Every structure is written in C-alpha cells, then in structure tokens.
C-alpha cells in the first residue's frame, strides 16, 4: 500500500494521514473510533503486531495467525457511544464485509474499548445476529472485466479500487 492510497478504513483520507501513523506507532488513537478504524486497517494489511499491541491484555490472544484473517473489503461505522478524547471507555458498532470466491462474509459487531494510561485499547466485541456468510449469487467480477457501473473502465481502475 502506498502513502497516497485512500485508507482502507473508509475515512476518505490518505492512508499516510489516517491509519498509517497509528500502525507505525508514531501516533496513538485519540478516540475509540480511531482505534477501531486503525484495527480494521491492521487486519487489512495484516499488521499483527499492531493488533496485539492495541488489544487489552485481559482479553488479548497470545498470537494471531495471519492465514486466518479474511480479505476485508469494506468498513461501515454504525454508531459510537462515548469513546471521545476525554472518555475512559467507549463503544463502536461496525459492519465489515469480506469477499471470497464463493462467499461474502458480513461481520456486525459492537466493540468495547477502554482508555488506560492515555491509550485506547480494544477489550472485546459482541457479534450481532446478522453476521453471517452469504453465498455469492452472481459470478465474481474479474479485475480486468469492464466495470458494471458503466464507466467504460476496467473494474480494477473503477469500483474495484479499495475504498
């Protein structure tokens, strides 16, 4: 991922100005939502060290196998509750989507965060009932196929660009 790319967390900001400084350790997340977005991005780029570092020690796993991480494609923040700079706890509800050749996976989670020693940490999350794999009904669009939006561009240069 180059520094000029839009951040995978769907903030519409360049990666270099959004999540990259958090993942590199140059900055810390100032809100629970910023931590949620950066953790999503860490899953996308498979930055295991950041995922473990941003996880509360009381619930953090010993390790994460990168091979088990889905190919996340989109993130939508549904709501936040507290989690601002002056808060000590927060909730971020989100939906994330992953695609594979045969399935679309929708994850809907209500995540809990705490702020300790000035740093936001992920504690745990409650998976919502509408999280489930869905069988793909249409054939997968190839990167070099024409984009279905009608732009005349290849899919990879149009709607296939990572948001």
């Amino acid at each position: 991922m180059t520094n000029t790319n839009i951040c995978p967390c769907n903030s519409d900001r360049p990666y270099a100005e959004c999540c990259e400084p958090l993942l590199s350790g140059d900055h810390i997340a100032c809100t629970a939502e910023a931590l949620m977005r950066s953790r999503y991005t860490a899953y996308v780029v498979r930055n295991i060290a950041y995922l473990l570092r941003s996880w509360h020690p009381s619930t953090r796993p010993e390790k994460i196998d990168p091979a088990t991480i889905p190919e996340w494609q989109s993130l939508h923040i549904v709501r936040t509750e507290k989690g601002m700079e002056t808060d000590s706890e927060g909730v971020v509800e989100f939906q994330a989507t992953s695609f594979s050749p045969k399935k679309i996976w929708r994850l809907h989670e209500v995540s809990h965060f705490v702020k300790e020693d000035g740093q936001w940490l992920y504690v745990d999350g409650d998976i919502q009932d509408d999280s489930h794999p869905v069988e793909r009904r249409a054939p997968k669009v190839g990167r070099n196929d024409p984009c279905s939006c009608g732009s005349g561009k290849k899919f990879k240069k149009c709607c296939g660009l990572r948001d």
Side-chain angles (χ1 to χ4, degrees):
M1 174 169 299
T2 65
N3 291 343
T4 58
N5 287 347
I6 297 298
C7 194
C9 78
N10 288 349
S11 65
D12 292 328
R13 296 174 49 211
Y15 175 64
E17 296 172 15
C18 190
C19 290
E20 183 182 42
L22 301 176
L23 272 62
S24 70
D26 292 342
H27 291 84
I28 60 171
C30 58
T31 65
E33 181 179 341
L35 183 67
M36 173 60 239
R37 288 181 178 279
S38 68
R39 286 178 53 80
Y40 170 84
T41 298
Y43 277 106
V44 170
V45 301
R46 290 176 165 59
N47 185 331
I48 304 304
Y50 181 78
L51 290 168
L52 293 172
R53 189 170 66 243
S54 61
W55 209 313
H56 194 273
S58 68
T59 56
R60 178 176 49 221
E62 287 187 32
K63 63 181 182 171
I64 299 170
D65 180 358
T68 64
I69 298 174
E71 295 289 329
W72 294 111
Q73 300 295 319
S74 69
L75 173 69
H76 171 68
I77 303 297
V78 176
R79 70 178 175 92
T80 60
E81 189 178 301
K82 298 184 182 180
M84 301 308 288
E85 289 184 51
T86 58
D87 292 323
S88 61
E89 59 184 37
V91 171
V92 179
E93 181 177 355
F94 72 92
Q95 294 174 329
T97 305
S98 172
F99 300 110
S100 74
K102 300 215 184 267
K103 301 267 185 204
I104 299 170
W105 177 261
R106 292 190 185 108
L107 172 64
H108 184 179
E109 181 177 311
V110 176
S111 298
H112 305 101
F113 299 87
V114 295
K115 190 175 188 181
E116 293 182 354
D117 299 322
Q119 185 169 348
W120 282 104
L121 297 167
Y122 170 77
V123 178
D124 60 18
D126 299 319
I127 305 296
Q128 302 303 293
D129 286 340
D130 61 342
S131 294
H132 58 281
V134 177
E135 286 197 37
R136 193 181 284 275
R137 291 192 171 99
K140 182 178 178 185
V141 176
R143 291 177 38 82
N144 289 314
D145 291 344
C147 192
S148 60
C149 75
S151 68
K153 296 180 182 178
K154 289 183 179 182
F155 177 72
K156 69 182 178 185
K157 296 288 185 176
C158 191
C159 295
L161 288 173
R162 204 172 273 257
D163 291 330

